[in-house]
Amino acid sequence: MRRLVARAAVAAFCAISLSGCVDSAGPILPDAKPLFGERLRLQFYTLHKGFADEPEQASFKWDGARYVHAGGAMSDVTAFTVHPFEANSYIIQSAAAKRPHIVEYAVAHKLAEGVYQVIAVDQDDANRATRARNCKRADDSHCRVMTRKQLFVFARATAARHKGEGGLVLRLANDDSEPRR
């Protein structure tokens, strides 16, 4: 299931309740902007032990507030926003089809122009005291955060782990040409 989350986070960049995933009951990061343009084509790979596998492509379109799925694979990712974070990293805030009212988070670290490693924000990356202070248990969540500060604590812990897991996302050129009639 973590593989699915990495793919979703990558696109948008823990769909069903996972042990370590951090989520919220609504978006914590407001005022999103189309940082990657109005239209976005992405190539996703699952990363496992540093190797990329399971390629999929998807298209997303900015609807004025978020990127929404517009075609291709990854239909389990309905919408996401991208927010600048720290040191060439972004936080991905995503809604999953199976839990539309729950927002999930990932860290996308820029590896090169148009290439990102995406890792689900995981409570297990933080120490026990940090988890106890910042996580709220809910019926459908192991770690529900309510504030930007809480989210950033876990995002920093995940970013510091430098895992070889998650997803690799390539930003592809948009095909703006329309078929001629």
Side-chain angles (χ1 to χ4, degrees):
M1 192 55 169
R2 262 187 212 276
R3 195 167 68 202
L4 173 66
V5 170
R7 287 180 20 221
V10 166
F13 280 87
C14 305
I16 298 170
S17 183
L18 295 177
S19 62
C21 293
V22 172
D23 66 32
S24 63
I28 289 177
L29 304 173
D31 304 324
K33 295 183 180 14
L35 296 180
F36 298 114
E38 297 290 322
R39 294 179 58 218
L40 188 58
R41 282 185 54 225
L42 301 171
Q43 175 78 39
F44 304 93
Y45 297 91
T46 300
L47 283 177
H48 183 66
K49 296 184 180 179
F51 292 96
D53 194 17
E54 301 179 30
E56 292 188 84
Q57 274 189 32
S59 298
F60 297 87
K61 186 176 181 180
W62 185 256
D63 73 354
R66 60 198 178 152
Y67 287 105
V68 294
H69 188 267
M74 304 295 294
S75 60
D76 51 330
V77 178
T78 58
F80 68 92
T81 57
V82 181
H83 305 267
F85 186 44
E86 300 171 342
N88 284 328
S89 294
Y90 299 89
I91 292 183
I92 307 300
Q93 180 172 256
S94 66
K98 293 183 181 182
R99 300 187 332 153
H101 301 294
I102 302 300
V103 177
E104 300 156 344
Y105 299 92
V107 173
H109 181 72
K110 184 177 181 178
L111 301 174
E113 194 61 41
V115 181
Y116 302 87
Q117 180 183 10
V118 178
I119 305 168
V121 175
D122 187 342
Q123 72 164 350
D124 295 335
D125 292 333
N127 63 42
R128 184 177 300 166
T130 299
R131 291 192 305 264
R133 248 187 341 270
N134 294 290
C135 282
K136 301 288 185 213
R137 298 274 293 172
D139 292 338
D140 60 348
S141 174
H142 292 281
C143 184
R144 173 101 6 111
V145 295
M146 293 185 245
T147 68
R148 177 185 204 105
K149 183 178 177 181
Q150 290 172 323
L151 171 61
F152 283 12
V153 164
F154 289 110
R156 284 184 187 108
T158 293
R161 294 289 307 264
H162 300 290
K163 299 176 182 180
E165 307 290 319
L168 182 67
V169 178
L170 305 176
R171 185 172 169 211
L172 304 175
N174 288 323
D175 180 9
D176 292 328
S177 61
E178 299 238 349
R180 299 204 190 273
R181 295 181 195 190

